[in-house]
């Protein structure tokens, strides 16, 4: 059974940092890209950052480049999202998703995922 379990997140002031973790199980970790998507009431779910744990290639949405860093720990089958210099527009429900393939750019741009976690709320206030 495929499982993706997110942890972390919370409420912070603008400019502060948060970390999200996604612990996975039920599939071969390095065969699929893993990504972070976020959703708000005003916007449809968007790909924030995605990573291939096979070769470490990454993708970032323009809105988070230079502020967010995605990484993976293959031994723990876990993906992390370090979020620095948070802005109020980063507020949303963040989901960890598993791709149907290994390419992070396809995952983030075309939502090629088949499993996702329950999500973690990130709230950034001014």
């Amino acid at each position: 059974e495929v499982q993706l379990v997110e942890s972390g997140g919370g409420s912070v002031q603008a400019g502060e940092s948060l970390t999200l973790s996604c612990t996975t199980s039920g599939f071969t970790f390095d065969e699929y890209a893993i990504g972070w998507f976020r959703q708000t009431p005003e916007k449809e779910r968007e790909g924030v950052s995605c990573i291939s744990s096979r070769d470490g290639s990454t993708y970032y949405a323009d809105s988070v480049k230079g502020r967010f860093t995605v990484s993976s720990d293959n031994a723990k089958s876990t993906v992390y999202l370090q979020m620095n210099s948070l802005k109020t527009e980063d507020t949303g429900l963040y989901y960890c998703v598993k791709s149907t393939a290994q390419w992070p750019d396809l995952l983030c741009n075309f939502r090629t995922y088949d499993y996702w976690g329950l999500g973690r709320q990130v709230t950034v206030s001014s």
Side-chain angles (χ1 to χ4, degrees):
E1 178 187 7
V2 174
Q3 289 189 322
L4 299 100
V5 180
E6 304 102 335
S7 60
S11 298
V12 295
Q13 297 286 318
E16 295 183 341
S17 300
L18 284 172
T19 303
L20 293 171
S21 300
C22 175
T23 301
T24 73
S25 61
F27 62 97
T28 304
F29 184 70
D30 65 356
E31 289 189 358
Y32 303 95
I34 302 293
W36 290 98
F37 280 65
R38 70 184 174 197
Q39 189 163 21
T40 66
E42 298 79 24
K43 295 174 67 175
E44 61 184 3
R45 195 177 294 187
E46 63 171 332
V48 173
S49 183
C50 298
I51 185 169
S52 166
S53 56
R54 173 175 293 184
D55 61 11
S57 58
T58 58
Y59 172 90
Y60 294 96
D62 288 343
S63 59
V64 306
K65 282 181 181 176
R67 300 188 297 119
F68 288 14
T69 302
V70 63
S71 62
S72 67
D73 183 335
N74 288 20
K76 297 181 179 180
S77 298
T78 299
V79 172
Y80 304 94
L81 184 67
Q82 176 66 41
M83 304 180 288
N84 297 329
S85 302
L86 282 161
K87 304 177 180 180
T88 55
E89 52 262 43
D90 294 319
T91 294
L93 188 59
Y94 284 68
Y95 294 88
C96 176
V97 304
K98 169 193 165 292
S99 179
T100 57
Q102 61 176 288
W103 299 286
D105 52 346
L106 286 181
L107 172 58
C108 266
N109 282 311
F110 298 104
R111 305 177 194 174
T112 55
Y113 57 82
D114 52 2
Y115 291 92
W116 54 92
L118 295 178
R120 297 291 289 185
Q121 180 66 32
V122 171
T123 302
V124 185
S125 57
S126 59

